[in-house]
Amino acid sequence: MDKVIVAKDLSLSYSNNEVIINKVNFSIDSGSFVFITGASGSGKSTLLKSLFGALSFKHGSLVVGGVELNNISGKKLNFLRRHLGIVFQDYKLVREWSIDKNIMLPLLINGYMKNVANAQVDKLLKHVRLNHQSGKYPYELSGGEQQRVAMARALAHNPIIILADEPTGNLDEYSSQLIWNLLEGANNQLKTTVIVVTHNIPKNLNVTYRHLHIEYGSVHEIC
Amino acid sequence: MKSVRNHLSLVIALVSILFSLQLYFVVERSIDAYKKNLSNNYSVIAVSKESLATEDIKAMNKLIANVAELSPDNVIKRLNSDMKNTNIELLKLSLPKFYKLSLAYYPTPKEIKELREDLLKSKSITKIEDFSHSHDTVYKLLLLFKNVVSLFALVVLVVTVLLIFKELRIWQYKHNERMTIMALFGAPLWLRSAVLFRLAIVDALIASFVTLGSFVYLSSSPWILEQFNNIGINVIVFDILNDFLMILGVSVSISILLASLIVIGHKEEV
Ligand SMILES: Nc1ncnc2c1ncn2[C@@H]1O[C@H](COP(=O)(O)OP(=O)(O)OP(=O)(O)O)[C@@H](O)[C@H]1O
Ligand SMILES: [Mg+2]
C-alpha cells in the first residue's frame, strides 16, 4: 500500500512554543479511513492543521502526498492544497459569498470550466440536502447548514485526501448520517483517503477504519 | 447596500485627494494667467542719453519682449506752450530718450533687479524706473495666495492619507478572511488578490469619473466663468484629456498601492 501521509518524530507547537504534539510517528495508507479522537484541547485540530501546512514545525518530518511539508515553498504548498478537501472546525466560509460560490471555490482554483463547476455545485447542494437554500449567504444559514456547506466544498473537486475536523459536531442524527454516507461514498468509490476528527465514531459504518487517539501529545493506535 | 458601503470609503478618500490635486493645478494656472495679464500692464521705463535701436535694447536682457519709444511731446507741451518751434526742435534733440520696455512675463523681484543691472551696463542708459515698490506688493500677494492654496491642498492630502491608513486596517481585516480561505484551498497569490485589485481599480475609476464630472460641471458654471472674467483671465479649469489622464493615473496608482499593502500585510491565520 502507498503511504499518503508519513510523520516522523513530528513535534508541533504554536508561537508560544508550548509543545502540543510531541515526537509522534505514524503513517496512513492511501485510500484508508481514519478517525482521530482525543479530549478537547488534546491537539486534534493542531495535528490536522499541520497536515495541510497551516502550522509550520521545527522538528521532525511530515510527508503528505509525497511532499515534505517541513520548509515547503509557497508554490508547492498551493499545489498540494489543491488536492486536499478540508472541513474546518469553524467552517471558514467566505461570508461575502453565496453558499454556491463558497462550494465552487476549489473548482475555481482548480480551473474547472464554468458549466462543469455549476453542475457540480448543484449536485453537491442536493447531496447535503441544501438545494432549497441555493443563492443564500452563510449568515442566512443555521450552524448545521453551514457545516454541510463546508462539507460540500471539501468534496467538490474530488480531492485525494479529505481532512475533516468534527464535521458532524453541530448536526442531528439524520444530518450526521448524511455526512458519514458522503465520506463513506468518497472513500469507497473514489478511494479518497479520509481523515476525520470526531468525538463519536458512528456505529453503522460500511468501511473498515483505523482509530488514532491523541493523549498527552502522543498518538496511539486504538484499532 | 453593503457593497455600496464597501466602495464608498475608498472612493471618498480618492475623490478628496484628486480634488485637492486638481484644485492646486487650477490655482497654479490661474496665477500663471494672471501673471501674464499683469506683465501686459507692467513695464519698465529706461532713460537714455542717445537713441538706441530696439534690437540693441532687447539684447540686453531676455526678459524684454518689446520696446517702444515714448514721444517727448507731452513733456514739452507741459513745459512751455509759448516756446518757439525752432527752440522746441532743439530741446527735443537735447532731451534724453524715454523707452517703455514691456516684458515677456511677470518677473520676480530678483529678475527685475537683474534687468535693472543689465540695462545700466549700457553707457547710454542713465536712469531706470521699474516701479518695483508696487510690483513687489502685487507679487507678494500672488505668492501668498499660492502658498495658502498649496498648504490647504497639502493638509487635505495629509488628512486623507491618515484616514486611508486607518481604513486600511479595516480593509485588511475584511479581505484577510477571504484570502486566508482561498490560500487554504491552494489559490495562488494572484487569484487570492484578484478580487482586491479589481475592487481597487473599480474604486479608482469611480473616483476619477466623479472628479471629472465635478470639474467639467464647475468649469462650465457661469459663476466660475464670471470670477475669471472679472479679473480678466482665461483659465482651463479642467483639460478633459490631459487632466483626466493625470487624475486617472494618480487614483489608479494610489489604490493599487493600497491593495498591494493589503496583500503584503496578509497573514494566514488558521
Ligand atoms: N492559535 C493557537 N495559538 C496558541 N495555542 C493554540 C492555538 N490553537 C490552539 N492552541 C492550543 O493548542 C492546544 C490544542 O488545541 P486544539 O485546537 O488542537 O485542540 P482540539 O483537540 O482540537 O480540541 P477540541 O476538541 O476542543 O477542538 C490547546 O491547548 C490550545 O490552547
Ligand atoms: Mg479542534
Side-chain angles (χ1 to χ4, degrees):
Chain A
M1 263 291 176
D2 279 349
K3 306 278 185 219
V4 74
I5 294 172
V6 181
K8 283 192 185 125
D9 288 332
L10 178 68
S11 294
L12 301 174
S13 56
Y14 290 96
S15 45
N16 58 11
N17 286 327
E18 190 188 323
V19 179
I20 314 281
I21 298 290
N22 193 9
K23 291 188 179 166
V24 299
N25 290 283
F26 65 91
S27 61
I28 289 170
D29 290 337
S30 172
S32 55
F33 200 115
V34 182
F35 284 108
I36 298 176
T37 59
S40 179
S42 58
K44 306 182 293 296
S45 298
T46 305
L47 181 63
L48 222 52
K49 282 179 205 171
S50 75
L51 295 179
F52 53 83
L55 196 64
S56 57
F57 51 92
K58 294 178 202 98
H59 304 292
S61 137
L62 178 59
V63 177
V64 177
V67 183
E68 169 63 64
L69 293 191
N70 199 352
N71 279 322
I72 190 173
S73 73
K75 213 171 176 157
K76 267 192 179 168
L77 185 59
N78 283 339
F79 180 78
L80 173 66
R81 283 173 172 177
R82 268 173 250 158
H83 298 288
L84 305 178
I86 313 169
V87 182
F88 301 92
Q89 194 168 7
D90 55 354
Y91 319 148
K92 295 208 189 296
L93 301 177
V94 178
R95 71 186 79 198
E96 66 264 31
W97 287 354
S98 70
I99 59 170
D100 308 56
K101 185 154 185 201
N102 268 286
I103 296 172
M104 199 176 289
L105 177 65
L107 302 171
L108 178 85
I109 293 170
N110 281 286
Y112 279 62
M113 303 267 286
K114 196 93 191 168
N115 52 342
V116 178
N118 280 327
Q120 178 76 340
V121 169
D122 286 345
K123 194 178 88 185
L124 284 159
L125 277 173
K126 282 199 194 85
H127 283 172
V128 295
R129 304 280 192 276
L130 284 176
N131 39 336
H132 60 290
Q133 302 283 39
S134 170
K136 287 199 176 169
Y137 286 82
Y139 59 85
E140 296 174 299
L141 267 58
S142 76
E145 287 172 327
Q146 291 181 35
Q147 193 157 32
R148 282 183 275 154
V149 173
M151 176 52 79
R153 181 179 61 181
L155 294 167
H157 51 307
N158 297 327
I160 295 169
I161 309 172
I162 290 176
L163 303 167
D165 199 346
E166 302 193 28
T168 59
N170 261 313
L171 301 181
D172 59 23
E173 195 77 14
Y174 170 78
S175 295
S176 298
Q177 195 52 52
L178 212 72
I179 298 295
W180 296 128
N181 290 344
L182 285 171
L183 290 174
E184 230 174 58
N187 183 248
N188 276 330
Q189 286 149 33
L190 302 171
K191 299 290 164 250
T192 310
T193 307
V194 178
I195 300 172
V196 189
V197 168
T198 187
H199 285 291
N200 20 27
I201 298 174
K203 306 260 171 344
N204 50 347
L205 215 58
N206 287 323
V207 290
T208 47
Y209 61 83
R210 273 172 80 191
H211 177 187
L212 302 176
H213 188 73
I214 301 183
E215 203 169 11
Y216 303 122
S218 302
V219 177
H220 307 280
E221 183 98 34
I222 305 283
C223 64
Chain B
M1 207 49 226
K2 220 175 106 196
S3 65
V4 171
R5 233 190 13 240
N6 280 348
H7 285 284
L8 217 55
S9 49
L10 182 57
V11 168
I12 289 176
L14 285 175
V15 165
S16 95
I17 290 178
L18 298 181
F19 240 81
S20 56
L21 200 66
Q22 185 64 26
L23 196 65
Y24 174 79
F25 283 121
V26 170
V27 167
E28 181 103 296
R29 278 176 210 158
S30 311
I31 288 183
D32 280 347
Y34 190 60
K35 270 192 193 170
K36 197 162 241 154
N37 202 16
L38 281 177
S39 81
N40 290 340
N41 299 329
Y42 176 77
S43 49
V44 172
I45 306 289
V47 186
S48 170
K49 284 186 291 195
E50 50 205 78
S51 162
L52 289 167
T54 301
E55 289 314 308
D56 291 340
I57 299 182
K58 270 190 177 175
M60 292 179 192
N61 189 295
K62 61 181 186 327
L63 204 58
I64 303 167
N66 247 318
V67 180
E69 192 180 340
L70 297 174
S71 150
D73 291 352
N74 284 334
V75 188
I76 293 164
K77 236 179 247 163
R78 246 184 284 152
L79 276 179
N80 199 331
S81 44
D82 314 325
M83 247 191 225
K84 274 191 192 145
N85 270 355
T86 45
N87 288 347
I88 287 176
E89 287 309 314
L90 267 172
L91 185 65
K92 265 188 186 171
L93 282 177
S94 59
L95 266 180
K97 306 283 180 197
F98 293 85
Y99 294 99
K100 181 178 161 196
L101 315 179
S102 2
L103 305 182
Y105 55 90
Y106 197 64
T108 64
K110 187 165 159 265
E111 282 169 322
I112 291 187
K113 221 176 130 229
E114 283 165 8
L115 172 69
R116 190 187 175 86
E117 285 163 1
D118 284 347
L119 288 172
L120 285 173
K121 276 181 203 151
S122 155
K123 280 185 227 91
S124 26
I125 294 180
T126 53
K127 197 170 158 34
I128 308 278
E129 178 51 80
D130 55 18
F131 310 101
S132 55
H133 182 71
S134 66
H135 168 273
D136 269 13
T137 320
V138 174
Y139 194 80
K140 278 176 186 157
L141 214 63
L142 273 183
L143 270 187
L144 179 74
F145 180 57
K146 190 177 159 180
N147 288 342
V148 165
V149 172
S150 311
L151 193 72
F152 172 76
L154 194 72
V155 167
V156 170
L157 199 75
V158 168
V159 169
T160 314
V161 168
L162 287 179
L163 280 178
I164 283 183
F165 272 97
K166 196 179 146 274
E167 281 282 299
L168 196 63
R169 292 226 185 127
I170 300 171
W171 295 330
Q172 195 131 35
Y173 171 79
K174 227 167 48 191
H175 294 290
N176 211 41
E177 181 195 69
R178 185 191 61 248
M179 293 202 297
T180 296
I181 294 171
M182 291 180 88
L184 288 171
F185 282 89
L189 187 65
W190 68 265
L191 189 58
R192 269 178 262 163
S193 21
V195 180
L196 191 57
F197 281 104
R198 203 166 53 219
L199 214 72
I201 289 174
V202 167
D203 286 4
L205 286 177
I206 295 176
S208 304
F209 279 105
V210 167
T211 314
L212 167 82
S214 316
F215 273 95
V216 165
Y217 172 77
L218 282 179
S219 58
S220 64
S221 126
W223 185 80
I224 298 275
L225 290 176
E226 200 190 312
Q227 301 307 306
F228 285 125
N229 241 336
N230 282 347
I231 40 177
I233 53 173
N234 193 0
V235 175
I236 300 167
V237 174
F238 197 89
D239 179 334
I240 297 212
L241 188 66
N242 290 328
D243 287 356
F244 183 63
L245 285 181
M246 188 271 303
I247 273 183
L248 196 64
V250 168
S251 76
V252 168
S253 315
I254 293 178
S255 58
I256 286 195
L257 175 77
L258 291 174
S260 312
L261 284 177
I262 293 179
V263 171
I264 291 167
H266 165 72
K267 271 211 269 339
E268 187 177 304
E269 273 156 13
V270 184

